[in-house]
Amino acid sequence: MQHLPLIPAPTHIELADGAFRLAATTPVSGELADLLADELHTVTGARPHVGGHGEIRLRIAGEGRPGSYHLTVTEHRVTLTGADRAGLRYGIWTLVQAVRRSGDGWEIPALDIHDAPRFAYRGFMIDVVRHFFDVATVETLIDRAARLKLNALHLHLSDDQGWRLEIASRPELTAKASGTSAFGDPGGHFTQADYARIIAHAASYDMIVVPEIDLPGHTHAVGVAYPDLVEEPVLTQEMRDTVEAFGGDVPVKGEPCTSIPVGFSQLRIHHEPTYDFLADVLGEVAALTPGPLVHVGGDECLGTDPADFAYFMERVTTLVAGLGKTPVVWHEAGAAEGLARGTVGQFWGLRSNDEQVAAKARSFPERGGGVILSPADAIYLDMKYDEDEPLGLTWAGYVSVEQSYDWDPATLIDGIGEDAVLGVEAPTWTEKLTSLAELDHMMFPRIASAAEIGWSPAPGGHDWRTWESFSARLAGIAPLWEAQGIGFHRAPGVDWR
């Protein structure tokens, strides 16, 4: 296993002597054969023949754990069986990672793999608000993440700096509040057709899209379009210091926000037109989104009275549940007692979280939901790698590749065991990121840590589920990432040679 660059590491693998030799004439048959042929062409430069009774045989069994697969390679044949379409696809990613050069050709080592995901939800998040990224960029990121067996894209679609999704019933949102990004950079938005295209592209990889409309804070952009729905900004000295340190203007109600302080904005909570607005917006978002989850924020409401916050979160999660979706909120909303039953909490605290934070997170499984884990000092992918890194932020500290791998979902929060964890998500916030090249640099290789933590068995009892093994496999997968066009960062701590 140590010399095979498989990420995430499979549940069970046995290596044998010999290898299957690849050639341009090697026939591939079965479901998703064209996908495998295209992937092998990227790696080897030759596209195998598709059709007939292939020496590489792919099929869907229609039974077994969702997402699981069985891959067998001998000198004469490759057989890959997925429990479902997703499982077959995951097996293809593993098969492609196992391909290696041999002399003047290519081969796949003889092996037997039984594999299945540890957690059902394995996600990544892109903030398209602080800086906007077009459909093509989002699709490229989906391509890259899917090959690490991630299966959820969380799109952060609204914040103080802009509104990024067309809402037909509320056209002023994109007409007035989508034109800028952080620091006055150009903005943009997705039409409903754009959003449908993103959803379809994700679905082609068996990936869901989770839209987020951040509420009741992070809503300055709403006030640019509809001033009657928001309060005046609550500006503390700390927020003014953030503006002074990073740039932009002090937020003014009704004017686009060009700075990056948090916690100053709020919807008018005891104002019925606010809930008419939310019924329109969330109704359209739910109708546009086939997936089961709709995220409604609930974070960093620093100027909101706790009783008002609880009242609002009860109403908005009940609204989402009434639309047939499961509401997702950031973990602070666990303090609100009246959340709709089954609401999912997303934890974004630190690995060394305190009891107050843990209690909020525990409230979700106690009320019939679960938790998605995104510890900021491990898999917030916009945190700087080290003090020499020019991109990103440092509010959660520096996050090396090794640190991104140094945690386990079952032990992260006191009182939350594996059964209460829905999965893992790696967010990328974009205050200081403006291009695909910068996203690649910050996401890769650390997104691979999140992928392995979400997919592979817990540490202990397997010599490959260690930092030493993982770092060696990162180095080994580098040529494949290069072939796939990923502009990953050769971060310190990994022997990239």
Side-chain angles (χ1 to χ4, degrees), residues 243-300:
V243 174
E244 178 70 21
F246 289 95
D249 298 320
V250 174
V252 176
K253 181 178 177 179
E255 298 181 8
C257 178
T258 62
S259 54
I260 61 170
V262 297
F264 66 87
S265 59
Q266 178 188 296
L267 294 178
R268 293 178 64 189
I269 289 174
H270 298 287
H271 182 58
E272 280 307 306
T274 297
Y275 300 96
D276 295 336
F277 169 81
L278 294 177
D280 289 343
V281 169
L282 296 175
E284 286 194 40
V285 170
L288 293 167
T289 306
L293 306 176
V294 170
H295 204 306
V296 287
D299 62 315
E300 296 176 321

Side-chain angles (χ1 to χ4, degrees), residues 278-340:
L278 294 177
D280 289 343
V281 169
L282 296 175
E284 286 194 40
V285 170
L288 293 167
T289 306
L293 306 176
V294 170
H295 204 306
V296 287
D299 62 315
E300 296 176 321
C301 300
L302 305 183
T304 306
D305 177 81
D308 290 346
F309 176 74
Y311 171 80
F312 178 87
M313 295 311 301
E314 177 179 354
R315 285 195 66 168
V316 76
T317 56
T318 299
L319 171 59
V320 170
L323 294 168
K325 302 296 183 181
T326 298
V328 185
V329 294
W330 298 103
H331 73 261
E332 295 103 308
E337 294 185 359
L339 295 179

Side-chain angles (χ1 to χ4, degrees), residues 250 260 356 373 398 422:
V250 174
I260 61 170
Q356 185 179 25
L373 300 177
Y398 298 117
L422 298 182

